Amino acid sequence: MEATELLKKVRQIEIKTRGLSRNIFAGEYHSAFKGRGMAFSEVREYQIGDDIRSIDWNVTARYNHPYVKIFEEERELTVMLLIDVSGSREFGSFEKLKKNVITEISAILSFSAIQNNDKIGVIFFSDTIEKFIPPKKGKSHILRIIRELIDFHPQHSGTDITGAIRYLTNAIKKRCTAFVISDFMDDNKNLEMALSIANNKHDVVALKIYDEREKELPPIGMMKLKDAETGEYVWVDSSSRKTRKIYADWWIKHAARFDSMFKKCGVDYTAINTNQDYVKSLMNLFKKRALKQ
């Protein structure tokens, strides 16, 4: 992509997603993703109604008058985005490709993090770790992430979510909030264990991006389908009810498997349809998390 075109797209994404983050997500994000706990701020004179357990006895003895400790939320977080850049993200049957939705959601989360003074980092993955951007603060860092989201060209087309989650567990030493943004087209049997281990160390949130046409085949006759990750082609007779049912049943089992896995591992998640407003899905997820705090 040419530099001028890239800058124009970066600006468009920035304007849209920064506005959404500031006007809609700011309060919800803050409530849904807590800091590391409470940190001592200062002492002040005791007032009627204060919890006597907060009295600072050393200062009280020094001034012969009761003083209490004041604590503030230690807000700063490290946020990591694990972004699936495999071949299947290029699919889309309506207005947006999965890739476009992933880009916008990632940008919104990045701006939300920066507005809350959190660090943000990114792991791009396919069936290998394509790129690691260490967590930092600042607008220039955010714009670099958006440029990469728009113009990143992976070396591989397969998917290995398990490998990406293991990389997170090993690379990020301190506890972080990690968003795994993927279509979850991965049948690795070790994924559940990797998710469970990662969520014990970090706070893992899964955002499953899917297209409506992935749920069922349209009855339009013979279709030549290409596997975006392997490059293989296959002919499918979509006019056959049996074929469409087999496909629909597979999707239901696939979705149920991940639903069960996320719940078992204690991972908060939401499924986002490329044809629907992702704002509502994210807001519902944030509100659900805030209620659990």
Side-chain angles (χ1 to χ4, degrees):
M1 185 180 297
E2 292 184 3
T4 53
E5 184 184 354
L6 176 59
L7 288 173
K8 183 180 179 181
K9 287 198 172 186
V10 168
R11 183 61 177 157
Q12 289 172 342
I13 292 290
E14 179 192 1
I15 291 171
K16 178 176 182 179
T17 58
R18 185 169 60 177
L20 281 171
S21 176
R22 182 188 296 118
N23 300 325
I24 299 177
F25 290 99
E28 300 296 344
Y29 174 93
H30 185 93
S31 299
F33 303 99
K34 297 292 186 181
R36 291 174 296 203
M38 304 301 288
F40 172 73
S41 175
E42 59 182 344
V43 295
R44 64 162 170 78
E45 290 190 31
Y46 176 84
Q47 298 174 3
I48 295 176
D50 285 339
D51 189 339
I52 61 172
R53 291 174 296 181
S54 64
I55 292 177
D56 187 321
W57 294 106
N58 290 329
V59 177
T60 296
R62 190 181 309 152
Y63 292 100
N64 199 29
H65 187 80
Y67 279 78
V68 294
K69 294 179 181 179
I70 303 300
F71 293 86
E72 292 180 350
E73 181 186 356
E74 196 173 2
R75 172 62 234 176
E76 183 179 299
L77 290 172
T78 295
V79 177
M80 291 298 302
L81 305 180
L82 278 69
I83 299 175
D84 185 346
V85 292
S86 62
S88 59
R89 71 178 178 145
E90 300 289 346
F91 183 77
S93 60
F94 292 92
E95 292 183 0
K96 289 184 178 180
L97 301 176
K98 287 188 281 187
K99 173 184 176 180
N100 301 138
V101 176
I102 288 172
T103 295
E104 291 186 14
I105 290 174
S106 299
I108 284 174
L109 293 173
S110 297
F111 278 117
S112 296
I114 290 298
Q115 287 168 18
N116 281 274
N117 201 35
D118 297 335
K119 295 178 181 178
I120 183 87
V122 181
I123 297 171
F124 291 102
F125 71 92
S126 56
D127 54 11
T128 187
I129 302 302
E130 296 276 353
K131 190 163 194 171
F132 172 58
I133 302 176
K136 290 182 182 179
K137 299 179 182 180
K139 183 179 177 181
S140 61
H141 181 62
I142 293 295
L143 294 180
R144 178 200 171 188
I145 290 174
I146 294 175
R147 285 196 300 271
E148 293 284 2
L149 285 165
I150 293 171
D151 202 38
F152 185 77
H153 300 285
Q155 299 297 310
H156 299 258
S157 60
T159 306
D160 183 8
I161 303 173
T162 303
I165 291 172
R166 286 173 174 167
Y167 184 88
L168 167 78
T169 305
N170 294 327
I172 306 299
K173 302 305 179 185
K174 292 184 178 179
R175 181 175 175 82
C176 75
T177 296
F179 292 90
V180 185
I181 310 173
S182 171
D183 56 12
F184 288 90
M185 294 295 185
D186 185 357
D187 292 323
N188 192 315
K189 295 179 181 179
N190 296 316
L191 178 56
E192 183 176 315
M193 181 179 292
L195 262 178
S196 182
I197 292 171
N199 201 43
N200 282 332
K201 180 178 180 181
H202 303 296
D203 176 17
V204 179
V205 181
L207 304 180
K208 181 182 178 182
I209 315 300
Y210 71 96
D211 187 275
E212 192 68 25
R213 278 286 167 254
E214 292 175 316
K215 295 174 64 176
E216 57 184 21
L217 294 174
I220 58 175
M222 294 299 294
M223 300 172 62
K224 188 178 183 182
L225 303 179
K226 179 183 178 181
D227 187 319
E229 300 193 1
T230 66
E232 295 181 356
Y233 288 92
V234 61
W235 284 97
V236 174
D237 182 8
S238 65
S239 62
S240 165
R241 285 187 179 182
K242 182 178 179 181
T243 298
R244 294 200 305 274
K245 186 178 186 307
I246 290 172
Y247 184 88
D249 288 347
W250 171 84
W251 174 264
I252 291 170
K253 289 179 181 178
H254 172 80
R257 173 186 172 234
F258 279 95
D259 182 85
S260 174
M261 183 188 303
F262 294 143
K263 288 179 180 177
K264 188 175 180 180
C265 296
V267 170
D268 290 323
Y269 75 99
T270 189
I272 298 173
N273 188 328
T274 58
N275 192 39
Q276 296 175 350
D277 183 9
Y278 56 74
V279 170
K280 185 177 180 180
S281 296
L282 290 175
M283 289 290 283
N284 287 338
L285 173 66
F286 288 6
K287 287 177 180 177
K288 184 172 70 174
R289 282 183 56 94
L291 290 173
K292 290 169 58 178
Q293 300 290 342

